[in-house]
Amino acid sequence: MVATDPVRVLVTGAAGQIGYALVPMIARGVMLGPNQPVILHMLDIEPAADALKGVKMELIDAAFPLLRGVVATTDVTEACKGVNIAVMVGGFPRKEGMERKDVMSKNVSIYKAQASALEQHAASDCKVLVVANPANTNALILKEFAPSIPEKNITCLTRLDHNRALGQISERVNVHVSDVKNVIIWGNHSSTQYPDVNHATINTSSGHKPVKELVSDDNWVKTEFISIVQQRGAAIIKARKLSSALSAASAACDHIRDWVLGTPKGSWVSMGVYSDGSYGIQPGLIYSFPVTCEKGDWNIVQGLKIDEFSREKMDKTAEELIEEKTLAKSCLN
């Protein structure tokens, strides 16, 4: 085995439940592969300082061979120093009775502060993944306030929705989830997202077959399937009384792993990325597209046929993102 320099990975909100599920996955090589040593940087807010210490103690106790060091801090400058990958899980959650605008203004100030810390202290090629909601707009704020971080390096998580879509198809058709590929999540990581199976296939004993052919229920694909994926987060909160943590952590690892190590030939994944105007989506939004990744770069899959049904759904979620962007701007003023 070639000795590799450790990669520094920042997790914000590290003492929270997604953080708690995520850090052992990173330390175990799920995110960057079984031969890549890591140094974990964990950031959380002052009230969570003791819990954070406890997580650090557990990471030491787990004796992970790939874990070469742990920085656990409530100081954003120390947390961001030299990081190569930043997974932004920390944010202000929406509480009952709160207006969207209130949540937005809290998150705007959090992401503004973290953007400047990353810009000043992270590695110049730092890759950023925003998980905390509203993820697309938090990523956009981060981009605005960290102008020297290349726009291609700031993304948000829609892989969880992508994986949820794969899971629903595999359950419906009763195939193994790894045989389903090329679903797409378009747009916002919210209940307006559009899970699209028009281009998805299932690997069968007689080759790749379109998902729509094997499901053979167009009505399910256009109604129930879409709403299950859109509402899955809420369904998990209802069942667990807590939001999805292990699936979110797993999706964050998938997102970074594919981004850094590349997507398999012939398949794409969904990532919230900076729109360049592809598929008629307003440039300057962080919007979920189908992408392929190679050598650490993502590229939007081009030339997919978009029918009228899809067009309407894609535009609807873009409109919500434009509204959020306007709301975020008004919070800044």
Side-chain angles (χ1 to χ4, degrees):
M1 195 188 101
V2 185
T4 322
D5 287 338
V7 169
R8 292 181 181 270
V9 183
L10 165 66
V11 176
T12 71
Q17 53 146 6
I18 296 177
Y20 189 71
L22 178 59
V23 292
M25 291 181 186
I26 298 170
R28 199 156 266 197
V30 176
M31 179 179 276
L32 294 167
N35 302 321
Q36 177 57 64
V38 291
I39 296 171
L40 267 170
H41 288 225
M42 302 192 298
L43 175 70
D44 217 311
I45 53 174
E46 203 55 61
D50 286 342
L52 193 61
K53 278 193 190 113
V55 178
K56 180 174 178 174
M57 288 158 74
E58 284 202 81
L59 284 167
I60 292 166
D61 295 351
F64 293 111
L66 289 172
L67 188 59
R68 295 298 156 86
V70 181
V71 177
T73 182
T74 56
D75 175 50
V76 67
T77 302
E78 187 188 357
C80 291
K81 249 198 174 43
V83 298
N84 307 99
I85 289 165
V87 186
M88 317 301 280
V89 180
F92 192 88
R94 186 170 182 174
K95 303 203 171 100
E96 232 173 319
M98 277 185 77
E99 289 299 320
R100 258 178 74 192
K101 169 107 189 190
D102 304 333
V103 187
M104 185 71 82
S105 67
K106 289 267 199 285
N107 281 297
V108 164
S109 55
I110 293 170
Y111 277 82
K112 191 176 165 181
Q114 294 187 345
S116 45
L118 280 171
E119 178 158 64
Q120 289 166 43
H121 306 288
S124 60
D125 61 350
C126 179
K127 286 179 159 53
V128 183
L129 167 60
V130 178
V131 176
N133 284 322
N136 300 57
T137 300
N138 284 343
L140 198 59
I141 293 158
L142 201 144
K143 191 205 146 294
E144 294 290 310
F145 289 98
S148 73
I149 298 177
E151 60 193 32
K152 284 205 89 161
N153 283 14
I154 296 174
T155 64
C156 80
L157 187 71
T158 56
R159 181 62 174 267
L160 176 55
D161 310 295
H162 181 99
N163 288 350
R164 284 167 171 164
L166 293 175
Q168 289 306 309
I169 298 293
S170 105
E171 295 277 298
R172 178 78 180 189
V173 187
N174 197 18
V175 292
H176 195 274
V177 72
S178 62
D179 287 328
V180 189
K181 68 172 191 179
N182 295 355
V183 298
I184 301 168
I185 303 296
W186 298 100
N188 198 359
H189 174 61
S190 75
S191 59
T192 67
Q193 62 172 265
Y194 170 42
D196 175 5
V197 299
N198 284 310
H199 311 276
T201 60
I202 294 172
N203 191 17
T204 70
S205 51
S206 51
H208 289 286
K209 292 272 160 69
V211 162
K212 288 178 87 168
E213 184 186 309
L214 293 183
V215 168
S216 69
D217 181 345
D218 220 34
N219 187 44
W220 181 80
V221 164
K222 286 185 161 166
T223 53
E224 200 183 331
F225 164 72
I226 291 177
S227 62
I228 288 173
V229 177
Q230 287 174 334
Q231 304 295 333
R232 187 68 162 185
I236 286 165
I237 290 175
K238 197 164 184 257
R240 257 182 34 100
K241 311 292 176 268
L242 291 162
S243 60
S244 19
L246 84 82
S247 53
S250 182
C253 289
D254 291 345
H255 175 113
I256 297 285
R257 189 182 59 246
D258 286 342
W259 188 4
V260 172
L261 302 176
T263 45
K265 207 169 165 48
S267 64
W268 62 66
V269 293
S270 302
M271 284 171 65
V273 298
Y274 198 62
S275 169
D276 60 358
S278 291
Y279 296 102
I281 301 304
Q282 185 180 82
L285 294 175
I286 301 252
Y287 187 98
S288 181
F289 287 98
V291 301
T292 54
C293 306
E294 199 181 357
K295 298 189 172 119
D297 276 327
W298 54 263
N299 284 294
I300 295 172
V301 176
Q302 297 296 340
L304 298 173
K305 272 181 81 97
I306 306 296
D307 63 19
E308 218 172 303
F309 179 83
S310 296
R311 182 75 264 166
E312 196 179 312
K313 296 264 187 242
M314 288 161 69
D315 290 343
K316 190 175 176 218
T317 187
E319 277 159 30
E320 183 182 53
L321 284 168
I322 293 165
E323 277 168 33
E324 281 187 20
K325 185 179 182 175
T326 311
L327 189 59
K329 285 230 153 87
S330 73
C331 295
L332 285 167
N333 299 335

